[in-house]
Amino acid sequence: MSKTFHSSVAGALVLATLPLAAQAQESDIPAPRAETEGVSGETRIRIGLGPRVVPSWPGSDEHNIGPLFEFSRALPGEQFAFEAPDESTGFDLYRAGGFSIGPSLGFQGKRDSEDVGGALPDVGFSVELGGFAQLEASPSLRFRLEARQAVSGHDGFISVASADYVLRDEDDTVVSIGPRLTLTDARYQRSYYGVAPDEALASGLAAYDPGGGLQSVGGALGVVQQFTPEWGMFGYVKYDRLLGDPADSPVVAAYGSKDQLEGGVALTYTFGL
């Protein structure tokens, strides 16, 4: 959720991570759920709130500003578990070693007809239900696959594969970076990138019927930094490049961009129970 604002957020986050990454050596990275000497013996809750900037709709060259929330819980003697800044809401239903699975919940804001010239249909607010599978291959490497089906809005299917390399100094500093791969089905792509024959006559765009498949590749960078035991910050920046049928869409050519950038910064507060 203007382009100038995105650039400044991205630049600030990248500059901030350079000294952090240099200080956090891999030998100092403890397993997220292992008991660690010096970690608090009480349950801790971390909450955060700040602004987030995202594309107005998938493929848009305009952006919306909305809230960025952070909520994490650490049991006594444990660190806060690593969560990628762009992953959907979810929780573990089953966990064995570094492998876990569970439900996931995603959202996608609406696209108004006026956003794309007034002749194409609205796409309502989308609620996406599904699940995830996750593997913590090592304390510094995590793989995750999410798959969700929309029950409103675009009514399509979306899956996201990700990998994150994590550098952390206990809970004081956590820096993550990794690639992203997004696939969507034909229903999803027709909602945002398609132009039906009757819509082509009204809009002046060429008729276009995307078939689903690869949508984008990109990457995400996240930073968690504690300034005091209570106060800290959480921030991220993410870039995606549209590929395949979405990249060739006349809707994107006329009203959007193949380059998709988002990011946000939140102030966090940690308290014990």
Side-chain angles (χ1 to χ4, degrees):
M1 81 217 81
S2 66
K3 293 184 178 178
T4 302
F5 183 81
H6 264 109
S7 299
S8 62
V9 172
L13 285 173
V14 172
L15 289 175
T17 60
L18 293 178
L20 300 177
Q23 293 170 9
Q25 300 298 320
E26 184 172 348
S27 60
D28 296 329
I29 305 169
R33 297 177 183 266
E35 292 194 3
T36 305
E37 207 173 312
V39 173
S40 173
E42 60 185 2
T43 296
R44 292 172 298 143
I45 303 292
R46 184 172 64 204
I47 58 176
L49 179 64
R52 184 169 75 124
V53 181
V54 299
S56 300
W57 48 273
S60 175
D61 61 354
E62 298 184 352
H63 300 84
N64 292 333
I65 298 178
L68 174 63
F69 299 105
E70 160 71 359
F71 178 86
S72 299
R73 183 171 73 111
L75 296 177
E78 294 186 356
Q79 299 173 42
F80 286 108
F82 167 73
E83 295 179 353
D86 58 326
E87 70 184 51
S88 64
T89 301
F91 58 89
D92 294 351
L93 276 182
Y94 171 80
R95 184 176 182 86
F99 177 76
S100 59
I101 58 174
S104 67
L105 173 66
F107 304 97
Q108 177 61 60
K110 66 178 182 177
R111 186 193 74 180
D112 292 329
S113 178
E114 290 73 17
D115 296 333
V116 285
L120 301 180
D122 294 339
V123 181
F125 181 81
S126 302
V127 177
E128 302 164 349
L129 303 178
F132 73 88
Q134 179 174 290
L135 176 64
E136 296 169 3
S138 74
S140 57
L141 186 60
R142 192 197 74 162
F143 300 94
R144 183 180 176 96
L145 177 64
E146 296 186 9
R148 302 186 301 273
Q149 173 65 49
V151 295
S152 63
H154 62 71
D155 292 327
F157 178 83
I158 179 172
S159 60
V160 181
S162 63
D164 288 280
Y165 181 71
V166 185
L167 292 171
R168 68 184 298 163
D169 178 12
E170 297 189 348
D171 286 331
D172 293 334
T173 302
V174 182
V175 180
S176 64
I177 189 170
R180 303 291 187 264
L181 177 68
T182 302
L183 296 96
T184 51
D185 68 358
R187 181 175 293 180
Y188 181 106
Q189 293 189 9
R190 283 197 296 266
S191 295
Y192 294 109
Y193 311 116
V195 182
D198 58 324
E199 297 165 358
L201 292 174
S203 66
L205 300 176
Y208 191 68
D209 186 21
L214 181 63
Q215 174 162 309
S216 66
V217 296
L221 169 68
V223 179
V224 175
Q225 179 64 52
Q226 288 297 125
F227 305 121
T228 71
E230 293 81 22
W231 293 100
M233 63 81 65
F234 160 68
Y236 83 103
V237 63
K238 181 183 179 183
Y239 170 79
D240 282 311
R241 175 74 175 183
L242 294 182
L243 299 173
D245 287 351
D248 295 333
S249 168
V251 181
V252 173
Y255 302 106
S257 172
K258 297 178 184 179
D259 298 305
Q260 301 286 286
L261 187 63
E262 67 176 82
V265 179
L267 183 66
T268 64
Y269 182 78
T270 302
F271 57 93
L273 299 177

